[in-house]
Every structure is written in structure tokens, then in C-alpha cells.
Amino acid sequence: MDYPGNLFVVAAPSGAGKSSLVKALLELDSVVKPSVSHTTRPPRGQEKDGREYIFVSPAVFDAMVQADGFVEWAEVHGHRYGTSRHAIAALMESGADVVLEIDFHGAMAIRRVFSNTVSIFILPPSWDELRLRLERRGEDSAHTIELRLRNAALEVAQVENFDFVIINDSFDRALFDLKAIVHAQRLKFAVQRRARAQTFKSLNIP
Ligand code: 5GP
């Protein structure tokens, strides 16, 4: 399946800084729109239904799976998360550049469905730093941090399947890299021909 905008999927182990980077990108670039996933996990802190996630019960999630309502879904850290067909289709039809912040299983599934997917993996600078960030975040128990670190080792092993890699040792540098990837996609021949159709026409480029 193909569509006019760009589709970016961003994956990373928890603590690598994925959410902060994507949030900063969305604030800087109004053409990029997030796809809001459904999840069975309860809201955390300031999270609002419909903004970070659409929070649903396991029964509603099950019904959506049965009705083939998800392009992909996965269980991550004991909760289910899914990209709804409806949400992503609406964004795509609007011609937006869509960004999905999902786990690596989801990223690979999306790539199989949408051939123009640009996949980006964010790495922490070191295991020590990742542990420190998870501890500083103060959201998780020692047990959960160990679990996240074990999962992180499995996730990082998937990095070779991604188109781009960003190492988040400095937030500003990592954001620059993310913006550079988004910008470079917009300069690809097929995208430019669509976006700058008039210019191409005046230059007699078919
Ligand atoms: P959190 O609970 O910390 O917000 O997210 C946990 C993990 O689930 C993160 O890696 C996040 O990117 C991933 N995730 C969020 N939404 C989706 C989704 O729709 N599909 C998949 N496969 N993973 C998701």
C-alpha cells in the first residue's frame, strides 16, 4: 500500500528518549502528525484520553482485534497497544507526514503494510546511561527497571532492521538528526515531484 505523505515509525527501548524527541519534532513541524494508538494500559500522570493514547478496556481492544480494526498491535510490558486502521487512514488521506511511536514489532509490521515507511531506531549512548535515565525518571520499581533493561537488550538487537539510527547522547543533537531524516525524505524525487508539481511541469519534467 502506498500513499502521498511520508510515514515515519520511531522505535527505541524505554528510557532512550523517544517520546521527548517525537514531542519536540511535533512542536517544531506542523506538517508531521502523530498517530494516536489505542492501549489497554491505564493513563499515567498528566496523560489525557485521545492525546497520548485512546485508553480502552481489554474487552473493547479485543472487539477491535476481532473486527480487524488494527493495522498492527502488540503486547508490550504486559499491556496491549495498537495502531487503528481508522486513525492512520484519516491522517494519510489528509496528506500529512505521519509519525508512529511504537515498539519494534509494530514498526516491522507497519513496514510490511506500507512500503514507503521510514523506520528510525533511537539508541541510548550506553547501558549505564540507559539504567541511569530509567532510575532518574522515577516511574518504575527496581524490579520493573530490571525488566525494562532486559527487554531493552532484546529490542536493541533489532536495530539492524531499521533504515536510520539515532544515538541519543545529546538531546539537541538527536533532535537535529531526527529533523534531518524528516527533511531528507521530503527531498526525495517522488515526494518532490508530487509536492512541487508546478515547478516540475514548468521544467518539462514528466
Ligand atoms: P508506554 O506505555 O511507555 O507509553 O509505551 C510502551 C511501549 O509501547 C513503547 O515502546 C511504545 O512505543 C509502544 N507502543 C505505543 N503504541 C503502540 C502501538 O500502537 N503499537 C505498538 N506495537 N507499540 C506501541
Side-chain angles (χ1 to χ4, degrees):
M1 197 192 295
D2 222 342
Y3 86 104
N6 289 301
L7 178 62
F8 300 97
V9 289
V10 185
S14 62
K18 174 175 64 166
S19 300
S20 312
L21 282 168
V22 170
K23 188 164 175 274
L25 175 72
L26 293 170
E27 278 164 12
L28 287 167
D29 189 331
S30 61
V31 178
V32 181
K33 301 282 182 214
S35 161
V36 180
S37 297
H38 285 62
T39 183
T40 58
R41 97 153 155 69
R44 271 197 304 248
Q46 302 298 307
E47 287 180 341
K48 233 177 86 187
D49 188 39
R51 189 178 61 191
E52 282 80 8
Y53 287 105
I54 297 165
F55 296 97
V56 295
S57 65
V60 169
F61 199 96
D62 280 342
M64 284 185 71
V65 172
Q66 292 304 316
D68 198 24
F70 292 117
V71 186
E72 65 76 36
W73 69 270
E75 185 162 331
V76 190
H77 308 313
H79 296 289
R80 284 178 295 163
Y81 298 81
T83 306
S84 92
R85 287 187 192 283
H86 175 74
I88 202 167
L91 286 168
M92 287 176 166
E93 279 158 22
S94 76
D97 281 348
V98 182
V99 65
L100 270 74
E101 205 192 313
I102 60 181
D103 86 318
F104 77 86
H105 293 291
M108 295 299 105
I110 290 288
R111 215 167 61 165
R112 284 192 291 274
V113 177
F114 302 104
S115 54
N116 64 339
T117 300
V118 178
S119 58
I120 304 165
F121 199 91
I122 298 172
L123 286 175
S126 68
W127 290 118
D128 284 349
E129 179 61 26
L130 186 65
R131 176 185 290 277
L132 261 180
R133 287 182 191 174
L134 288 172
E135 287 169 355
R136 256 191 255 128
R137 202 158 78 166
E139 270 174 7
D140 303 311
S141 65
H143 171 76
T144 306
I145 290 179
E146 291 314 315
L147 183 70
R148 287 195 190 275
L149 284 169
R150 273 204 303 279
N151 284 338
L154 300 175
E155 289 163 44
V156 163
Q158 301 300 319
V159 64
E160 64 181 5
N161 295 313
F162 285 71
D163 300 317
F164 292 98
V165 181
I166 295 175
I167 299 176
N168 187 7
D169 39 10
S170 134
F171 182 82
D172 290 345
R173 172 76 212 186
L175 181 58
F176 175 86
D177 290 346
L178 184 57
K179 285 190 297 185
I181 295 167
V182 171
H183 190 65
Q185 291 313 306
R186 293 180 181 153
L187 301 180
K188 282 193 163 168
F189 172 75
V191 181
Q192 285 280 57
R193 187 169 57 178
R194 216 159 30 222
R196 304 293 299 271
Q198 273 310 98
T199 308
F200 272 58
K201 198 170 165 214
S202 70
L203 291 168
N204 302 322
I205 304 169

